[in-house]
Amino acid sequence: MSMPMTTARRLVELACNAPSVHNTQPWLWRIDGNQVRLHADHRRQLPAEDPDGRSLVISCGAALHQLQFAARALGWTSEVARTPRGDDPTLLAEVTFERGPASSQPVNDLAALRRRCTDRRRFTSWPVPDDILERLAGEARTWSAAALPITDLVSRFRLELLSNEATMLRESDPVAVGEQTAWVDRSDHDGVPLKVLPRVEQNAPPEDRRNRFGPGLVPETRTPVDGGDGVIVLGGRGDETADWLRTGEALSALWLRATRDGLSVVPLSLPVEIESIRFAMAESVLEGAFLPHLAVRIGWQAIGRTGLPRTPRRALDTVLLA
Ligand SMILES: Cc1cc2nc3c(=O)[nH]c(=O)nc-3n(C[C@H](O)[C@H](O)[C@H](O)COP(=O)(O)O)c2cc1C
């Protein structure tokens, strides 16, 4: 059965709910019958913070996962050719759809996709049990990425030190700081709005100021943090476009599973944006097991907290190629 154009457009629109670095939404799509092609939009790459385009491709990988996830919820199977490229270096994936069984809980799945967001407010101090972190890492691994929960104290401490070092190095790089600032409260269709960033108390301790974007408008809790956040590092054996795309798919799979479990996920890309820190992390935190592409913090938000407003998205017709 061929896929109606309206369904293909709906799937792409749902896929565009995906997280992306600084909400750059660096993707373009082409619909062709039962096939949807995903292209990288390098005009939206961050030259200072993401010179190799790793975060850009991870963002596209997350959208690729959400496309497949939405298709499954609506009763379509997806066959994906990753990085087929040919003579087009921007082509990241070709997805062919066939009619198939819908997921067992389509309504819940689509609701999770819409509900997923980056909630940077402080997590509660309830620890995330190791077996939950392991299950989330397992979800990521089914997408052929490497994923490791960082649970032992020494590795956690090393990661914390590297993360702090990354923050200091970044603060001394005015070009990168300027680039990041340009994506805060940028427009009604992209960037990170102030209305989703937590407000920070004037005399807050340094660990409460770690949101890379600086203070925003969302009231913050006074609950003390005890460093109980879960952390998972995602990566791969390689450092090529195909590896980053897999990491993006794994990121989205992990995030949607966490959302359905009531957990909050916040990516932590600063430590992997600075190459010297990224390699130190590979050595001292991962002990050479794989190359880190992104870390995520995972925790519980306080029960009964108000939801955050949605971050904006580009209009569907501006991301569709003719
Ligand atoms: C590759 C990647 C890196 C990201 N890095 C960070 C980060 O370092 N800090 C942060 O607060 N959010 C980070 N984010 C989250 C984005 O800012 C967020 O997805 C985007 O603003 C859209 O908002 P939403 O996730 O609420 O839909 C990252 C997302 C991706 C996909």
Side-chain angles (χ1 to χ4, degrees), residues 141-272:
R141 286 185 210 115
T142 61
W143 292 84
S144 304
L148 187 70
I150 307 300
T151 47
D152 76 280
L153 276 181
V154 175
S155 305
R156 280 298 301 262
F157 183 65
R158 287 182 179 148
L159 186 60
E160 200 75 20
L161 285 181
L162 288 171
S163 201
N164 291 344
E165 202 180 325
T167 306
M168 276 168 4
L169 281 172
R170 177 45 40 88
E171 279 170 0
S172 64
D173 179 346
V175 178
V177 170
E179 183 177 85
Q180 179 177 294
T181 309
W183 284 91
V184 175
D185 234 17
R186 181 183 174 89
S187 79
D188 61 0
H189 58 269
D190 59 9
V192 183
L194 279 176
K195 63 181 185 204
V196 302
L197 294 174
R199 196 181 289 154
V200 180
E201 307 290 336
Q202 277 291 300
N203 51 359
E207 64 271 22
D208 291 354
R209 283 189 256 117
R210 64 183 155 187
N211 159 29
R212 64 180 293 166
F213 296 104
L217 301 175
V218 183
E220 199 29 304
T221 167
R222 285 175 181 273
T223 316
V225 194
D226 71 354
D229 305 358
V231 175
I232 295 179
V233 179
L234 298 171
R237 313 230 168 272
D239 220 8
E240 305 290 332
T241 302
D243 305 301
W244 302 337
L245 198 66
R246 289 285 194 177
T247 294
E249 291 179 87
L251 169 71
S252 166
L254 174 160
W255 205 328
L256 291 176
R257 154 69 44 207
T259 303
R260 281 173 290 175
D261 290 348
L263 282 156
S264 192
V265 173
V266 179
L268 194 64
S269 51
L270 258 186
V272 293

Side-chain angles (χ1 to χ4, degrees), residues 5 9 28-32 37 39 316-322:
M5 188 55 154
R9 285 175 64 92
L28 289 168
W29 310 84
R30 194 186 299 277
I31 298 174
D32 184 6
R37 294 195 192 92
H39 292 261
L316 182 59
D317 284 323
T318 64
V319 296
L320 282 179
L321 294 165

Side-chain angles (χ1 to χ4, degrees), residues 38-191:
L38 166 62
H39 292 261
D41 185 350
H42 287 286
R43 294 167 306 180
R44 301 192 145 249
Q45 189 171 338
L46 304 168
E49 296 161 279
D50 185 29
D52 299 329
R54 187 174 51 242
S55 290
L56 176 147
V57 174
I58 293 175
S59 305
C60 290
L64 175 61
H65 174 264
Q66 304 220 339
L67 183 80
Q68 298 165 74
F69 186 89
R72 173 115 205 279
L74 297 181
W76 295 85
T77 61
S78 315
E79 179 143 338
V80 184
R82 293 175 180 82
T83 54
R85 304 287 190 123
D87 53 6
D88 182 352
T90 69
L91 181 59
L92 294 178
E94 241 167 38
V95 187
T96 309
F97 298 106
E98 294 293 341
R99 243 329 178 185
S103 56
S104 57
Q105 298 187 308
V107 176
N108 288 353
D109 287 348
L110 290 177
L113 199 141
R114 292 207 183 84
R115 203 166 63 239
R116 183 216 58 79
C117 69
T118 310
D119 188 342
R120 301 173 184 81
R121 290 175 294 188
R122 249 173 278 158
F123 299 150
T124 63
S125 54
W126 303 320
V128 182
D130 289 357
D131 61 322
I132 294 190
L133 291 176
E134 189 43 53
R135 200 172 70 220
L136 292 175
E139 183 81 37
R141 286 185 210 115
T142 61
W143 292 84
S144 304
L148 187 70
I150 307 300
T151 47
D152 76 280
L153 276 181
V154 175
S155 305
R156 280 298 301 262
F157 183 65
R158 287 182 179 148
L159 186 60
E160 200 75 20
L161 285 181
L162 288 171
S163 201
N164 291 344
E165 202 180 325
T167 306
M168 276 168 4
L169 281 172
R170 177 45 40 88
E171 279 170 0
S172 64
D173 179 346
V175 178
V177 170
E179 183 177 85
Q180 179 177 294
T181 309
W183 284 91
V184 175
D185 234 17
R186 181 183 174 89
S187 79
D188 61 0
H189 58 269
D190 59 9

